[in-house]
Amino acid sequence: MIDWLDQIDKHLFLFFNSMHSPVSDRIWLWITNIPSWIPLYILFFVTIIKVFKKDSIYVIAGLLLVVLISDQFTSSFMKPFFSRLRPCYDAEIGHLVHIADKCGGQFGFASGHAANSFGIAMYIWLFFKHYWKWTWLVFIWALAVAFSRIMVGVHFPGDIIIGGLLGIFFGWLLAQITNRLFFRLKLKPLIRN
């Protein structure tokens, strides 16, 4: 079963990764590059401060913990534990991989970019879904960041799916913890139901 899933993962990766051009490479590299999203991160922080005012410190601390936990869990625990090679290092398909920039570290399971972006998306969505009906669009941003990892040649689809699911879990978990701790301290919830 694992071998079958691995083969499907490799076929899907090669299918998507083969759809590249010099222009699309530049676009996917821009999407995958964390500093490209600094304006969005600033918007998140400004919006948190505007909505939650003096209580925003709790929401921001929770958001930063989402990134820290998602990133460390995938990079420091999962990648060395599972030791699944990135596509560019895979002996079977490495010669077929289009790498838009550089391959990165040897192991890629699970994607830290996917975990971080989906963790942020889930956390932001939970806190803002009642303030702005378009908050769900943050998941499109997370999906673009995650998919970019396939297009630049550094992750298999399975890496980003598991990374994304982990990020969603950590985003949900930290939102619940932040909300409960705040409720205990201030006797009112931050997340509106």
Side-chain angles (χ1 to χ4, degrees):
M1 179 72 163
I2 298 292
D3 291 335
W4 179 74
L5 287 172
D6 187 54
Q7 288 305 308
I8 289 175
D9 213 17
K10 288 178 181 179
H11 285 0
L12 281 172
F13 169 81
L14 290 173
F15 172 76
F16 288 118
N17 182 254
S18 68
M19 292 189 255
H20 61 84
S21 70
V23 172
S24 68
D25 282 352
R26 282 192 215 113
I27 293 168
W28 290 117
L29 282 169
W30 181 84
I31 291 171
T32 207
N33 190 4
I34 294 168
S36 301
W37 297 105
I38 288 174
L40 181 64
Y41 302 148
I42 291 170
L43 176 65
F44 289 159
F45 287 124
V46 168
T47 305
I48 289 169
I49 291 166
K50 182 178 177 186
V51 169
F52 295 104
K53 299 181 180 26
K54 65 183 169 118
D55 299 326
S56 63
I57 190 72
Y58 300 101
V59 181
I60 291 171
L63 181 60
L64 294 174
L65 281 172
V66 169
V67 174
L68 178 70
I69 292 169
S70 296
D71 188 67
Q72 288 305 302
F73 189 78
T74 55
S75 298
S76 297
F77 169 68
M78 291 187 74
K79 288 177 182 177
F81 182 81
F82 291 103
S83 300
R84 184 180 191 203
L85 296 173
R86 290 183 186 267
C88 48
Y89 294 118
D90 187 285
E92 184 181 347
I93 67 164
H95 64 286
L96 301 171
V97 175
H98 171 72
I99 304 167
D101 187 25
K102 57 184 186 249
C103 190
Q106 189 176 10
F107 304 124
F109 183 78
S111 169
H113 276 70
N116 290 335
S117 60
F118 273 98
I120 291 169
M122 181 58 134
Y123 190 87
I124 292 293
W125 179 74
L126 287 170
F127 275 100
F128 289 99
K129 64 184 178 179
H130 295 292
Y131 293 98
W132 188 52
K133 69 178 181 175
W134 299 101
T135 303
W136 61 269
L137 290 172
V138 75
F139 287 104
I140 293 174
W141 160 76
L143 183 62
V145 170
F147 189 72
S148 74
R149 306 305 285 163
I150 295 171
M151 298 308 290
V152 299
V154 297
H155 281 294
F156 289 108
D159 300 344
I160 66 167
I161 290 169
I162 297 302
L165 290 173
L166 284 168
I168 287 170
F169 170 72
F170 288 131
W172 172 84
L173 180 65
L174 267 295
Q176 300 310 311
I177 291 170
T178 302
N179 196 45
R180 282 189 171 80
L181 285 175
F182 183 80
F183 183 77
R184 286 186 178 212
L185 294 172
K186 300 280 189 159
L187 298 175
K188 65 177 181 174
L190 287 168
I191 298 176
R192 294 176 19 189
N193 291 325

